[in-house]
Amino acid sequence: MSHSPPVRRLADWDHEQLLALAAEYETPLYVLETGRVQANYRRFDAAFPDAEVMYAAKAHTGRAVLSALLDVGADIECAARGELQRAIEAGADPNTLQYTAVNPPAADLDYAVELADEYPGLTITGGARDTFDRLQARGYDGRVAIRINPGIGTGHHEKVATGKDAKFGIPAERVPDLAADLRERFDLVGLHAHVGSGVLTGEVDEHARALGKVADLAREVGDGDLEFVDFGGGFGVPYREDEPPLDIEVVAETVREAVGDLNATMKFEPGRYVVADAELILARVNTVKEAPETTVVGVDASLSTLIRPAMFDSYHPIRNVSAPDRADEAVSVGGPCCTSADVFATDRPIARPEREDILAIGNAGAYGYELANNFHSQPRPAEVAIEGDGARIVRRRETMADVTRVEDETAGAPDAERE
């Protein structure tokens, strides 16, 4: 791409290239553009020149994404053991990683502590006093940060408004006492908060107010003794065609005004903002059924390919890339799973699909492949990355042998062998 518009719509993709990819790699197919991933990160990083901008790996842990971001200088924030391992395998220096533990299983803490023994720059963020006690019991006395629950949540869905969910973080009023305790046991280097996800223009002021509360708490705790205050991510992208994109420079100024002066480095960890519009799904129409109340369009993608509409009632734009100029018709688009939740759109105006047409489902980069699954024993799709004028396979299509391999290899085996 020669420029970096604030959002990439489905109409901006090269339709002929998409059709060629569908023909070569079959469908359903995830199509990623790594250059767009890098452009989105650079735009965000430029808006916050005085901050450290990490990438929240949970949005998309594909090696192609992680490697592309490491190439432009991004650090990585990880929420699970597997993300730590994948970041390292992609080339990240473990000393730069930040591990945000949420009710971490024992194996996750064991791995993080062992990693920190070799790479003491690793930072472990805890959201419960219990987590810090468990770290101490493992002999850990290194770098830690406290995850704060500010009591304010923002975002596109109640399931992602983490700032007011008791699952996440220490209640703000308990943080000063906990900080004093942790300074006796660990190297307390930071505070962390993640208020919510998918924040758009109308929610920026409330989001900034929550970040201001975090900054106030940092000053109360003693920001001069802290290396950083991590304000999380949550900055959204418009999934609906009529939603305007965030003016990230205006957002950055709003956040800076709300936060005020800090005697510590600001950190941010965008995930969705970086990858959402950098990937789409190609699906082939296999059925067109006229029903009394609607026209049902069946495709070969399903909620096993993209679960967000079923899980979050998420809107994803859909475009008929085979015939974008055909007259629009209100249709319902769904997949082959035997559940009424397997629907991507209901009564949506789309250039009338016909059997064998290729539909593109947009904004699939964030929590798309991450949440792909094997419901109905469906193998997960392939993923290709557009890089320059070409494309390469970065994740092969699963086979049924992949789906059943764990059963085949462990059937009847002792528990020790299964582990």
Side-chain angles (χ1 to χ4, degrees):
M1 295 177 64
S2 60
H3 63 291
S4 175
V7 65
R8 193 176 197 200
R9 312 286 187 179
L10 277 179
D12 298 329
W13 292 75
D14 183 333
H15 288 25
E16 292 302 317
Q17 184 179 34
L18 294 178
L19 292 173
L21 292 174
E24 181 174 358
Y25 297 103
E26 302 182 346
T27 56
L29 179 70
Y30 271 84
V31 180
L32 168 74
E33 186 172 299
T34 54
R36 179 65 186 176
V37 171
Q38 293 174 325
N40 288 341
Y41 175 83
R42 286 190 176 112
R43 186 187 321 106
F44 191 100
D45 188 50
F48 291 94
D50 299 326
E52 179 184 344
V53 179
M54 302 177 290
Y55 166 65
K58 64 181 178 292
H60 192 311
T61 55
R63 185 174 297 185
V65 168
L66 297 178
S67 296
L69 287 167
L70 290 169
D71 285 346
V72 293
D75 287 331
I76 310 295
E77 183 271 338
C78 304
R81 168 189 173 172
E83 292 175 13
L84 286 170
Q85 186 169 335
R86 294 185 75 168
I88 294 168
E89 290 173 353
D93 177 357
N95 283 300
T96 67
L97 296 177
Q98 188 165 309
Y99 168 45
T100 308
V102 181
N103 299 335
D108 283 38
L109 281 188
D110 291 342
Y111 179 81
V113 169
E114 291 171 7
L115 191 62
D117 283 343
E118 185 174 357
Y119 301 98
L122 176 76
T123 302
I124 301 178
T125 302
R129 183 182 290 271
D130 205 35
T131 299
F132 295 110
D133 292 342
R134 294 167 67 202
L135 285 170
Q136 185 177 29
R138 286 164 167 76
Y140 182 76
D141 61 1
R143 294 167 56 87
V144 299
I146 302 172
R147 181 165 183 168
I148 302 164
N149 185 316
I152 303 172
T154 56
H156 69 92
H157 193 280
E158 63 182 8
K159 291 182 180 179
V160 299
T162 55
K164 60 182 179 182
D165 187 335
K167 176 179 177 179
F168 300 97
I170 307 290
E173 64 273 11
R174 300 180 187 172
V175 169
D177 287 344
L178 178 62
D181 172 49
L182 296 186
R183 284 187 171 116
E184 298 296 321
R185 300 193 278 159
F186 304 96
D187 181 13
L188 178 62
V189 296
L191 300 182
H192 172 280
H194 182 70
V195 179
S197 183
V199 173
L200 292 174
T201 301
E203 300 159 317
V204 168
D205 288 343
E206 181 73 357
H207 190 72
R209 184 171 73 86
L211 300 188
K213 185 173 181 179
V214 174
D216 289 341
L217 187 56
R219 285 184 280 268
E220 180 183 349
V221 168
D223 60 325
D225 296 325
L226 297 174
E227 180 183 308
F228 66 83
V229 180
D230 183 349
F231 294 100
F235 303 94
V237 297
Y239 281 57
R240 295 180 181 271
E241 294 90 340
D242 58 353
E243 289 176 329
L246 283 175
D247 186 330
I248 196 63
E249 293 182 356
V250 172
V251 170
E253 183 59 31
T254 302
V255 168
R256 280 191 289 268
E257 290 177 0
V259 167
D261 293 331
L262 273 179
N263 194 17
T265 298
M266 287 194 300
K267 281 190 177 185
F268 294 95
E269 48 187 61
R272 183 189 311 277
Y273 184 90
V274 174
V275 294
D277 71 354
E279 189 158 38
L280 53 73
I281 296 166
L282 297 179
R284 187 177 300 275
V285 175
N286 54 48
T287 304
V288 178
K289 179 173 66 173
E290 303 288 349
E293 63 279 4
T294 188
T295 296
V296 177
V297 176
V299 296
D300 56 6
S302 71
L303 62 77
S304 72
T305 314
L306 179 71
I307 201 172
R308 295 188 72 253
M311 187 173 182
F312 299 121
D313 295 324
S314 299
Y315 180 100
H316 284 263
I318 299 177
R319 185 174 176 86
N320 186 342
V321 295
S322 292
D325 298 325
R326 200 179 289 157
D328 284 355
E329 180 174 325
V331 299
S332 296
V333 181
C337 290
C338 188
T339 169
S340 57
D342 187 22
V343 175
F344 296 115
T346 301
D347 295 331
R348 180 91 60 85
I350 299 171
R352 178 178 170 81
E354 297 178 358
R355 196 187 310 154
E356 298 301 318
D357 281 351
I358 300 298
L359 304 187
I361 304 171
N363 284 348
Y367 311 100
Y369 210 108
E370 285 302 301
L371 295 173
N373 58 84
N374 294 125
F375 182 50
H376 273 338
S377 293
Q378 295 187 84
R380 287 179 295 179
E383 182 180 33
V384 297
I386 297 172
E387 296 175 339
D389 295 329
R392 65 185 177 95
I393 190 85
V394 294
R395 195 159 0 202
R396 67 170 174 81
R397 188 176 303 279
E398 284 185 339
T399 65
M400 278 304 300
D402 294 319
V403 175
T404 60
R405 179 169 289 119
V406 175
E407 296 171 88
D408 293 342
E409 292 180 353
T410 64
D415 288 344
E417 290 184 24
R418 295 184 192 186
E419 295 174 0

